Amino acid sequence: MSIDFYRRLGAAQLALLRFEHLESHVDADLSDLALQARCEGAWLTEGIEGYTEWVDSARAGYSIGWDWVVQPPSGLLALKAHSIRTNIMLTEPDGTDAGRARTELHLAELLETWPWPDTVLHSLKQASPQLQR
């Protein structure tokens, strides 16, 4: 680990990593609105946001977290722009850092290939049985 706490690896190495869901939560203030709307018989999807955290399955110390938002009217979860938090720094073929912006862009593209919304929704329903009604 370097002094800046980034764990460096190339894109090919990143592609080999597998990540597991660690936790997901709805932002507290907004979850009260969602529960109230659900109790009244209608889902309030606009403005529901939360976050999720994932760790590499080999427990090598790589982690990725991001904020998500519910997209009305579909109710689907979407990655909130520029919200990725990670200790990963991608490196160029010559070993230099790709930079935070390129790393975030690459991770955002990677996340588009994951079924993370289903995992997050399942986790939220397990944690809040009232959302299952």
Side-chain angles (χ1 to χ4, degrees), residues 17-82:
L17 293 177
R18 297 295 170 249
F19 286 83
E20 297 176 346
H21 178 255
L22 181 63
E23 65 178 347
S24 293
H25 296 280
V26 173
D27 287 340
D29 294 341
L30 299 172
S31 64
D32 292 340
L33 290 174
L35 181 57
Q36 179 182 357
R38 178 68 175 143
C39 291
E40 293 172 0
W43 265 101
L44 173 68
T45 58
E46 189 169 353
I48 298 176
E49 301 178 359
Y51 68 91
T52 188
E53 300 288 333
W54 297 64
V55 294
D56 71 286
S57 59
R59 300 290 193 254
Y62 298 98
S63 66
I64 306 172
W66 61 93
D67 297 338
W68 51 263
V69 62
V70 175
Q71 294 180 315
S74 70
L76 298 176
L77 301 186
L79 173 71
K80 195 170 180 182
H82 308 292

Side-chain angles (χ1 to χ4, degrees), residues 62-129:
Y62 298 98
S63 66
I64 306 172
W66 61 93
D67 297 338
W68 51 263
V69 62
V70 175
Q71 294 180 315
S74 70
L76 298 176
L77 301 186
L79 173 71
K80 195 170 180 182
H82 308 292
S83 70
I84 294 175
R85 297 168 301 281
T86 187
N87 65 347
I88 296 170
M89 175 60 71
L90 284 182
T91 57
E92 301 291 350
D94 66 2
T96 59
D97 288 353
R100 183 174 163 89
R102 287 203 50 212
T103 298
E104 182 179 316
L105 178 62
H106 188 87
L107 289 172
E109 291 169 353
L110 178 66
L111 294 176
E112 288 180 17
T113 69
W114 291 7
W116 67 264
D118 295 335
T119 302
V120 169
L121 284 172
H122 178 74
S123 174
L124 295 173
K125 286 178 181 179
Q126 294 297 108
S128 299

Side-chain angles (χ1 to χ4, degrees), residues 1-8 86-87 89 97:
M1 173 127 359
S2 65
I3 196 160
D4 61 9
F5 300 103
Y6 280 117
R7 299 187 53 87
R8 289 166 168 77
T86 187
N87 65 347
M89 175 60 71
D97 288 353

